[in-house]
């Protein structure tokens, strides 16, 4: 049985990536912080790690409330003094009963692994006659511009008729 609480509910990105910044270069990212709840979201404090700067597109001051169903667009900038990895956080202290401290992780010059499969959604074998075999290729590649990516091929799921044409020959692979 559903019981309406009428509470505020903050929503936004879990992390923001600035990419690779050269010495002296300033990077800027924007994000939307939403109140997907049914009551006003009261903001007690916006705090950001040293080196990062927070701005608001709707005005010069930090809003202290986001009404139900509305949002605020924020901008965060970082000027790189070196080429090493920097991590920070944006913390929003609010009256959301489930997440009174909403934290957005910030990354500059971070090296994240990335794995891409082609095709990326599904492999369509089309209509196949009984006892016929159809081969399809799946390409797996590293899509990270700056980090090796390690993955483990576990197997195929679905009907038992699907199988590898040849044994991949590895348990864990680094690209």
């Amino acid at each position: 049985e559903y019981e309406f609480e009428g509470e505020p509910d903050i929503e936004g990105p879990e992390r923001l990536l600035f990419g690779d910044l050269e010495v002296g270069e300033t990077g800027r990212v924007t994000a939307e912080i939403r109140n997907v709840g049914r009551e006003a979201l009261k903001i007690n404090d916006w705090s950001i790690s040293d080196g990062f700067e927070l701005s608001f597109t709707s005005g010069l001051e930090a809003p202290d409330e986001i009404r139900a169903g509305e949002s605020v667009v924020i901008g965060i900038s970082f000027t790189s003094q070196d080429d090493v990895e920097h991590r920070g956080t944006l913390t929003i202290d609010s009256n959301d009963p489930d997440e009174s401290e909403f934290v957005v992780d910030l990354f500059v010059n971070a090296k994240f692994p990335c794995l891409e499969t082609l095709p990326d959604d599904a492999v369509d074998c089309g209509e196949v006659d009984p006892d016929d075999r159809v081969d399809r290729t799946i390409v797996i590649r590293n899509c990270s511009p700056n980090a090796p990516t390690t993955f483990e091929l576990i197997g195929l799921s679905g009907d038992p008729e699907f199988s590898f044409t040849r044994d991949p020959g590895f348990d864990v692979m680094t690209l």
Side-chain angles (χ1 to χ4, degrees):
E1 188 175 307
Y2 179 76
E3 195 173 306
F4 173 66
E5 296 290 328
E7 47 192 41
D9 188 7
I10 192 169
E11 184 178 271
E14 291 180 18
R15 67 182 181 182
L16 293 172
L17 308 174
F18 286 78
D20 291 333
L21 298 179
E22 295 183 18
V23 176
E25 182 180 6
T26 299
R28 181 173 166 80
V29 295
T30 59
E32 185 177 18
I33 305 298
R34 297 173 294 283
N35 178 4
V36 295
R38 304 257 177 144
E39 292 292 326
L41 180 71
K42 307 282 187 192
I43 307 292
N44 303 318
D45 187 40
W46 300 81
S47 60
I48 195 160
S49 297
D50 288 340
F52 295 89
E53 292 185 29
L54 176 64
S55 62
F56 301 89
T57 59
S58 59
L60 299 176
E61 293 187 21
D64 56 4
E65 179 180 293
I66 303 174
R67 293 189 291 202
E70 293 189 0
S71 64
V72 62
V73 176
I74 61 169
I76 300 175
S77 59
F78 183 89
T79 301
S80 184
Q81 303 302 315
D82 50 40
D83 60 356
V84 299
E85 181 177 323
H86 293 272
R87 295 176 181 233
T89 57
L90 165 66
T91 303
I92 304 167
D93 181 35
S94 74
N95 67 334
D96 181 332
D98 300 320
E99 255 181 309
S100 62
E101 274 197 347
F102 183 78
V103 177
V104 180
D105 293 315
L106 309 171
F107 299 94
V108 177
N109 295 336
K111 296 175 179 13
F112 287 104
C114 176
L115 190 66
E116 180 178 55
T117 60
L118 302 171
D120 62 353
D121 53 356
V123 176
D124 185 356
C125 293
E127 190 173 315
V128 179
D129 290 329
D131 298 323
D132 280 354
R133 184 174 112 182
V134 175
D135 292 332
R136 294 292 184 258
T137 300
I138 300 172
V139 176
I140 301 171
R141 70 182 185 115
N142 180 1
C143 51
S144 172
N146 55 14
T149 301
T150 302
F151 68 96
E152 181 177 359
L153 187 60
I154 296 173
L156 295 172
S157 62
D159 292 333
E161 290 82 9
F162 290 101
S163 64
F164 290 112
T165 302
R166 56 192 150 97
D167 183 2
F170 58 84
D171 291 329
V172 177
M173 182 173 192
T174 299
L175 296 175

